[in-house]
Amino acid sequence: MSDHIMNTYGRLPVSFVKGDGCYLFDDHGDAYLDALTGIAVCGLGHAHPAVADAVCKQAATLVHTSNLYGIPKQEKLADKLCELSSLERVFFCNSGAEANEAAIKIARRYGHNKDIKLPTIIVANKSFHGRTLSTLSATGNPKIQQGFEPLVPGFIHVDYNNMDAIKSACNNNDQVVAIMVEPVQGEGGLATPPESYLQDIRQFCNDNHYLMILDEIQTGVCRTGQWFAGQHSNVVPDIMTLAKGLGNGFPIGACLARGIAAETLTPGTHGSTFGGTPLACAAALATLEVMENNNLAQAAADLGEYFQQQFKHSLSDLIEQNIVVDIRGRGLMLGIELDRPCTELVKRALDKKLLINVTADSVIRLLPALITSREQADKIIQIVSELITELVNT
Ligand SMILES: *Cc1c(COP(=O)(O)O)cnc(C)c1O
């Protein structure tokens, strides 16, 4: 591999040059079953014809103008996202971190508009919100922050899935303006709180005039079996951020808001050269259309249920022995927690031509495409179960 790539990733020894649905092909032509989809990005699988077609057509028509002008495709996408989410306005950008930056800026400005001098956002331990300075400061993982101090101030970290921790952090703190969480913690080990957690946060935000911010960058766009994971709890946040699955691999991020949060940013207060280009919006519109026409939220819910059932069956012995500690997740955001570190399974899966991931050291993470067939699911379940059994027996 080239020495001219900055050394920010520990890469696996494989390079893919082509994709087709749930399969990736390396430079020798070998096929790999993809149960990770670029970390919850390619929900429709690779090289989806409708997205490819939309991108090609738009590229041959108009790629970029500027947010100094009207952008019809951007307006259409904003209308669609607001219809699906019950939110009211969208700011478009190019990544998850940027979407969260916008959310954080809205929360701070909302505070300043109320004469709060040091606006503070409650965030969760083990959260992940991105790699820019403010989003890594919001992130609840010291490994991601180390060496980049001084951190951006204005964040208080509390335990996830613990309403009392939020309440006590807010007690006697008149600088709090918002609470920001992921509905399911993707990088933090697939922590999956009960539906009441988001409902309690919603109620607490209402009572205290805080903004509720949901980071749906990984959970959003049908991944968990609803358009947005907050919908499992019947909760509409004040601000919601999206990115990963939105363009099926075409870079696009979005910060959605409603009510006062939707009116907080005014001309000159925020911007993005590339945000919401005709090309990016064409990719996202095509992605959402395929998802809607094929009811892929329901497909994700059903297949996620199937995965969990089948894993509970195939791993029943290891569950009994408490070696498999938990099988959890929502929709096609799945985690299998072992009683031991298992990062080496990523490499061993690769040897078996399967792409998976491990987070938080001991949680196997699966983020398969929403179009995964039962047959492909069975194959993933079989190989992952074998891998776990082999790991335990060696
Ligand atoms: C991936 C992710 C981000 C960061 O997105 P980037 O596009 O990598 O900047 C933020 N929050 C969550 C929950 C994520 O999963």
Side-chain angles (χ1 to χ4, degrees):
M1 286 197 187
S2 170
D3 288 339
H4 292 112
I5 302 291
M6 224 177 259
N7 198 19
T8 56
Y9 280 89
R11 291 172 198 268
L12 290 161
V14 65
S15 303
F16 298 111
V17 294
K18 189 177 125 87
D20 183 7
C22 295
Y23 284 92
L24 281 171
F25 299 86
D26 69 10
D27 42 7
H28 306 289
D30 287 343
Y32 294 71
L33 182 54
D34 188 1
L36 194 60
T37 57
I39 316 185
V41 168
C42 301
L44 304 180
H46 299 283
H48 192 283
V51 180
D53 195 44
V55 169
C56 290
K57 281 205 176 107
Q58 190 61 47
T61 306
L62 184 65
V63 171
H64 172 84
T65 54
S66 166
N67 285 302
L68 296 171
Y69 314 112
I71 302 177
K73 283 254 151 60
Q74 188 185 109
E75 293 175 31
K76 197 172 166 198
L77 178 58
D79 290 349
K80 189 71 205 172
L81 287 171
C82 289
E83 175 203 320
L84 295 171
S85 65
S86 309
L87 286 126
E88 292 165 0
R89 287 184 189 268
V90 190
F91 174 82
F92 287 106
C93 50
N94 310 287
S95 67
E98 282 174 85
N100 282 339
E101 287 282 344
I104 292 164
K105 283 182 71 172
I106 291 172
R108 283 189 166 197
R109 211 172 149 85
Y110 164 78
H112 284 290
N113 288 344
K114 295 202 297 181
D115 235 15
I116 291 174
K117 299 280 186 270
L118 298 168
T120 298
I121 302 174
I122 306 291
V123 290
N125 291 327
K126 299 189 182 171
S127 62
F128 182 77
H129 297 297
R131 298 283 194 164
T132 61
L133 278 171
S134 87
T135 59
L136 75 80
S137 300
T139 290
N141 179 348
K143 274 194 218 156
I144 284 175
Q145 299 171 333
Q146 255 158 36
F148 300 109
E149 299 86 354
L151 299 181
V152 174
F155 298 102
I156 295 178
H157 290 85
V158 301
D159 279 350
Y160 188 64
N161 192 14
N162 183 336
M163 202 55 218
D164 289 339
I166 291 178
K167 286 183 179 166
S168 63
C170 297
N171 198 19
N172 293 324
N173 187 336
D174 58 5
Q175 301 297 296
V176 174
V177 292
I179 299 171
M180 175 159 90
V181 294
E182 300 154 84
V184 176
Q185 286 190 326
E187 307 301 306
L190 277 297
T192 310
E195 284 157 19
S196 60
Y197 180 56
L198 295 188
Q199 291 161 354
D200 291 346
I201 292 178
R202 179 68 275 174
Q203 187 61 50
F204 190 65
C205 285
N206 290 350
D207 294 346
N208 293 281
H209 305 287
Y210 300 154
L211 299 179
M212 178 179 187
I213 306 174
L214 285 185
D215 178 342
E216 294 241 19
I217 289 163
Q218 191 162 151
T219 53
V221 203
C222 295
R223 172 58 51 188
T224 68
Q226 291 275 4
W227 276 105
F228 310 104
Q231 292 170 340
H232 291 288
S233 304
N234 281 316
V235 156
V236 183
D238 299 291
I239 302 175
M240 176 173 82
T241 53
L242 300 175
K244 288 192 167 83
L246 184 53
N248 208 52
F250 199 98
I252 181 168
C255 176
L256 289 75
R258 69 173 171 127
I260 195 167
E263 310 303 328
T264 300
L265 294 178
T266 50
T269 57
H270 198 43
S272 166
T273 297
F274 291 131
T277 63
L279 188 56
C281 294
L285 279 165
T287 303
L288 297 180
E289 191 178 317
V290 174
M291 287 181 177
E292 187 164 46
N293 291 345
N294 295 280
N295 204 357
L296 291 186
Q298 191 59 48
D302 295 344
L303 196 61
E305 198 56 39
Y306 180 74
F307 265 106
Q308 290 209 32
Q309 271 172 15
Q310 294 300 306
F311 273 126
K312 279 173 187 157
H313 183 67
S314 68
L315 297 169
S316 58
D317 286 352
L318 296 176
I319 294 169
E320 221 160 274
Q321 298 168 59
N322 263 325
I323 292 169
V324 172
V325 179
D326 195 16
I327 296 169
R328 60 175 174 259
R330 262 198 223 295
L332 289 176
M333 197 168 168
L334 296 157
I336 303 171
E337 182 174 357
L338 305 190
D339 67 344
R340 61 197 72 191
C342 60
T343 43
E344 67 195 86
L345 288 187
V346 173
K347 179 78 206 320
R348 292 197 195 176
L350 189 70
D351 293 338
K352 293 179 188 275
K353 305 278 187 275
L354 174 71
L355 305 179
I356 62 167
N357 180 248
V358 169
T359 75
D361 239 33
S362 59
V363 184
I364 299 165
R365 175 166 60 158
L366 303 178
L367 298 161
L370 313 177
I371 56 151
T372 304
S373 69
R374 287 280 158 127
E375 252 178 3
Q376 289 163 336
D378 286 335
K379 197 160 168 195
I380 295 167
I381 292 156
Q382 182 210 325
I383 298 174
V384 170
S385 301
E386 276 171 22
L387 285 166
I388 297 171
T389 308
E390 284 167 22
L391 178 82
V392 168
N393 293 331
T394 50

